[in-house]
Amino acid sequence: MDTQARADAPPETNASVSEQAGAPDATAAVAVVVPSYNHARFVEKALRSIFQQTHTPAELVVIDDGSSDNSPQIIERVLKDAPCSCAFVVRANRGLAATLNEGFARTTRGRYFAYLGSDDLWLPEFLAARVSLLDARPRAVVAYGHAYSIDERERIIDCTTDWARYVDGDVRRMLLSTLAPLSPTVVYRRAALARHLWNEQARLEDYELYLRLSAEGEFAFDARILSAWRQHDYNASRNLALMLDERLKAQARAAAQLGLSARELSRYQSFARFRSAQEFMRQGHKLTALKLLLTNLRGVPSATEAARLAAGLVVPHTLLRRRRARRRERASSRYGSLPS
């Protein structure tokens, strides 16, 4: 995220805050935060997907993190239609983790907490389903599930059901293998989240938090597809080198809490490097992928996966791009588009 604040943004100590009272709902269980940053094209749809929930949020806090586009004006207009109590904060840029921590501190209602990125979407049953699941699973600190991936036109281009082998309950091994929930699928138990929150020095904010929460309780999994994560050129997750570095740092910081020995941590980190080698290969960065493979052979999970990676290293990148395009076209044909 760009750390350059808007020239006309108010200083952090004098953030512009507006509040709108709504009728309190005694049954509402979830406080919701929307961190907004330069998503003028998408933020209205994100907010209206919250308004359309069958389970109305206990409260909604939107924080504009120093956007340089007209996001604040759009948000202010759309929040007039909010069906719940809401607050809108406009301030200089501080980054996503700091924004989420501020949002959590500003919310006071509900047993649970969720945030929705200003370019992502929830389907109408999302909050109701997560509340029901967490109510039924008192040992669960997180509820999560599958998600669509959508492009800038709401066309579905991928779905986690096609590749993610998510698990229910103890997710420590899953997370250490670098498979983690997508953020728009997650609702947190507020009491557990309050003991950890987001590391403001981390660039891959949710991963370290998931690791720490997984040492404390279960992750309740819902196989339904109830949210959508938007892919576009500005996603931080496209920076593969950054992602690998942040994953390794997060694993090292959380190792003691997870009860990992130095040997176990080293093994998981070799595996994480192998997974990153696969991602680099798919993006056409074959030399980086080869180096990661050769220096992390003990992280190879199976001969089959090693063979697939090796095959990908000799396949022309143009062919890999065509395969990705065909997968997207098949997903769009299978799933269609989200309602506009």
Side-chain angles (χ1 to χ4, degrees):
M1 177 177 288
D2 184 3
T3 57
Q4 181 67 39
R6 280 173 50 191
D8 61 343
E12 294 178 20
T13 54
N14 293 305
S16 172
V17 181
S18 61
E19 296 186 4
Q20 176 178 317
D25 183 349
T27 65
V30 191
V32 174
V33 166
V34 174
S36 171
Y37 182 74
N38 283 347
H39 286 149
R41 291 180 58 188
F42 310 120
V43 67
E44 178 168 358
K45 290 182 178 178
L47 290 171
R48 294 202 181 280
S49 80
I50 297 171
F51 300 170
Q52 292 164 5
Q53 291 297 298
T54 59
H55 180 100
T56 303
E59 59 183 324
L60 171 64
V61 173
V62 183
I63 302 177
D64 187 84
D65 190 31
S67 291
S68 58
D69 60 14
N70 64 331
S71 295
Q73 291 79 16
I74 295 171
I75 294 167
E76 190 168 20
R77 170 178 58 80
V78 174
L79 285 182
K80 294 176 181 178
D81 298 331
C84 60
S85 173
C86 63
F88 178 36
V89 180
V90 181
R91 57 153 172 75
N93 183 274
R94 292 175 54 198
L96 179 56
T99 300
L100 292 172
N101 285 335
E102 179 183 345
F104 182 82
R106 285 180 176 273
T107 59
T108 59
R109 305 177 190 175
R111 305 183 297 281
Y112 309 125
F113 177 89
Y115 82 88
L116 182 67
S118 52
D119 55 343
D120 298 328
L121 299 169
W122 285 338
L123 302 187
E125 295 292 331
F126 174 79
L127 287 181
R130 294 292 185 268
V131 167
S132 178
L133 184 55
L134 285 168
D135 281 349
R137 299 279 297 276
R139 295 178 60 184
V141 294
V142 163
Y144 78 109
H146 282 301
Y148 293 122
S149 292
I150 58 175
D151 64 14
E152 298 184 359
R153 296 175 294 165
E154 273 69 57
R155 188 178 63 159
I156 298 170
I157 56 175
D158 194 9
C159 184
T160 56
T161 56
D162 296 335
W163 53 267
R165 301 296 177 259
Y166 290 133
V167 300
D168 181 82
D170 186 346
V171 298
R172 287 173 290 185
R173 291 185 64 183
M174 180 189 83
L175 293 173
L176 287 165
S177 75
T178 71
L179 177 60
L182 295 178
S183 62
T185 76
V186 173
V187 172
Y188 300 88
R189 191 175 300 277
R190 187 178 184 90
L193 179 58
R195 291 189 285 273
H196 300 283
L197 297 177
W198 288 267
N199 179 356
E200 297 186 14
Q201 305 307 310
R203 297 283 299 279
L204 200 60
E205 300 85 2
D206 294 316
Y207 183 60
E208 181 173 342
L209 177 61
Y210 294 154
L211 288 173
R212 295 188 183 282
L213 285 169
S214 72
E216 183 169 326
E218 298 176 347
F219 279 36
F221 173 65
D222 184 345
R224 288 173 290 177
I225 307 167
L226 297 171
S227 50
W229 177 72
R230 195 181 300 275
Q231 291 189 30
H232 50 74
D233 291 339
Y234 307 106
N235 289 129
S237 58
R238 289 183 180 271
N239 189 331
L240 300 181
L242 169 67
M243 288 180 65
L244 174 58
D245 183 58
E246 288 294 315
R247 285 168 178 163
L248 298 178
K249 288 178 179 177
Q251 289 176 350
R253 288 191 293 260
Q257 189 173 354
L258 292 166
L260 296 179
S261 67
R263 183 182 180 86
E264 289 170 324
L265 174 61
S266 178
R267 187 175 70 249
Y268 279 119
Q269 296 211 315
S270 291
F271 184 73
R273 293 186 182 98
F274 176 79
R275 288 296 186 220
S276 285
Q278 292 176 309
E279 294 171 0
F280 276 110
M281 180 271 292
R282 295 184 190 109
Q283 295 298 322
H285 304 293
K286 295 186 178 183
L287 182 58
T288 303
L290 180 60
K291 289 179 179 178
L292 283 171
L293 173 62
L294 294 178
T295 56
N296 292 279
L297 291 175
R298 65 175 180 163
V300 177
S302 69
T304 300
E305 291 207 52
R308 287 175 180 168
L309 176 55
L313 292 174
V314 299
V315 171
H317 184 51
T318 54
L319 181 57
L320 293 176
R321 285 204 306 266
R322 288 175 193 155
R323 287 179 179 175
R324 285 200 305 273
R326 285 198 296 269
R327 283 197 296 270
R328 287 191 170 198
E329 291 299 328
R330 286 196 297 269
S332 295
S333 176
R334 178 180 178 185
Y335 299 112
S337 299
L338 294 181
S340 58

